């Protein structure tokens, strides 16, 4: 009996972070419930199968009064709770139930699935960053451009990704200066986070274009 109940030696803690808009569409609510059921099923199955590496999940939610603040709060929760990963998914996205496992298998610092902008012409939220220095203002600048001709069904390294869903190692958060997401930049908080992580300690950012997300609701 003791041998049967022996746990594997490596257990990674994962905080599933959901910024809540306060009006979660029924379709995405149902989608999250299916995902949560699948994660619990995998956690139990891996325990009894004595998998050498398994994952333990907890749920974190925060009101999306301000998107950067919501992400900042979830990141702080992940660090404070001793989680190894922060797995964020917005509550207006549809995803496969096994999304986490599709991303974590690549063992990357920051990785997201393929998603598109909500409004036409629905550009992929994979970005290339053009950096430069403005001699007039004496300040550095960077410009974000969409990667339109991206490799299909591939693991792609890029400069930045949208955070409709993202898997982040908390080691990345611990090595970065705070705030992680709060800034006065005109770019989105997700792009700023990727740029900051790469600049401060050369974190690697990837997108798995074989795994796709969908938006729910009207523009």
């Amino acid at each position: 009996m003791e041998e049967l109940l022996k746990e594997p030696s490596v257990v990674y803690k994962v905080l599933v972070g959901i910024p809540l808009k306060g009006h979660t569409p029924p379709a995405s609510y149902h989608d999250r419930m299916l995902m949560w059921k699948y994660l619990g099923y995998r956690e139990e199955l891996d325990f009894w199968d004595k998998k050498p590496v398994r994952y333990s999940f907890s749920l974190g939610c925060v009101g999306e009064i301000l998107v950067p603040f919501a992400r900042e709060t979830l990141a702080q929760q992940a660090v404070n709770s001793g989680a190894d990963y922060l797995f964020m998914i917005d509550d207006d996205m549809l995803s496969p139930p096994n999304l986490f496992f599709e991303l974590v298998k690549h063992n990357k610092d920051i990785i997201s699935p393929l998603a598109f902008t909500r409004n036409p012409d629905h550009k992929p939220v994979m970005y290339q960053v053009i950096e430069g220095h403005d001699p007039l203002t004496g300040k550095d600048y960077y410009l974000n451009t969409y990667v339109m001709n991206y490799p299909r069904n591939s693991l792609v390294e890029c400069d930045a990704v949208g955070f409709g869903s993202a898997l982040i190692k908390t080691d990345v958060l611990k090595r970065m200066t705070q705030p992680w997401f709060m800034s006065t930049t005109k770019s989105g908080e997700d792009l700023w986070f990727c740029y900051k992580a790469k600049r401060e300690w050369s974190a690697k950012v990837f997108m798995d274009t074989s795994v796709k997300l969908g938006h729910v609701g009207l523009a």
Side-chain angles (χ1 to χ4, degrees):
M1 179 63 71
E2 290 182 358
E3 179 62 24
L4 181 64
L5 297 178
K6 184 179 180 181
E7 292 193 30
S9 57
V10 180
V11 180
Y12 292 107
K13 295 175 63 177
V14 182
L15 178 69
V16 182
I18 305 178
L20 298 174
K21 297 180 181 298
H23 49 82
T24 304
S28 57
Y29 178 83
H30 181 258
D31 201 64
R32 289 303 84 76
M33 294 301 100
L34 290 178
M35 174 181 285
W36 201 245
K37 180 179 179 180
Y38 179 83
L39 293 177
Y41 167 76
R42 282 291 298 265
E43 185 174 346
E44 180 181 17
L45 188 65
D46 289 351
F47 171 81
W48 291 111
D49 286 347
K50 303 184 183 65
K51 292 289 181 66
V53 175
R54 66 184 185 89
Y55 302 91
S56 175
F57 301 96
S58 60
L59 180 62
C61 298
V62 60
E64 198 178 277
I65 300 173
L66 181 65
V67 178
F69 178 75
R71 299 200 190 283
E72 191 81 16
T73 302
L74 291 169
Q76 191 66 66
Q77 288 179 8
V79 172
N80 291 348
S81 66
D84 299 287
Y85 291 92
L86 171 60
F87 174 48
M88 285 191 291
I89 181 165
D90 290 352
D91 72 344
D92 62 345
M93 306 300 295
L94 296 180
S95 70
N98 66 337
L99 175 60
F100 168 80
F101 290 95
E102 289 297 307
L103 299 179
V104 77
K105 68 183 182 183
H106 296 299
N107 191 29
K108 300 301 182 184
D109 299 324
I110 304 166
I111 184 170
S112 75
L114 176 61
F116 299 87
T117 56
R118 180 188 297 278
N119 299 321
D121 51 353
H122 305 300
K123 297 180 176 69
V125 290
M126 179 192 298
Y127 300 91
Q128 178 185 7
V129 176
I130 302 172
E131 301 182 51
H133 181 80
D134 188 340
L136 294 179
T137 62
K139 296 181 179 180
D140 294 330
Y141 68 85
Y142 65 98
L143 303 174
N144 305 306
T145 59
Y146 293 101
V147 179
M148 301 300 293
N149 189 25
Y150 59 88
R152 270 51 172 179
N153 299 316
S154 303
L155 181 65
V156 184
E157 185 172 4
C158 44
D159 290 329
V161 292
F163 276 12
S165 180
L167 180 64
I168 305 168
K169 291 184 177 180
T170 51
D171 280 347
V172 173
L173 300 172
K174 293 173 184 177
R175 297 186 187 190
M176 293 171 63
T177 57
Q178 290 181 253
W180 295 293
F181 293 96
M182 301 290 289
S183 77
T184 57
T185 179
K186 294 182 180 179
S187 68
E189 80 290 340
D190 40 12
L191 276 66
W192 166 248
F193 176 86
C194 293
Y195 177 76
K196 182 179 171 75
K198 289 170 68 70
R199 183 184 60 185
E200 289 189 354
W201 71 282
S202 300
K204 301 290 187 180
V205 180
F206 287 83
M207 178 176 284
D208 185 345
T209 62
S210 70
V211 186
K212 301 173 180 64
L213 294 185
H215 266 118
V216 176
L218 301 176

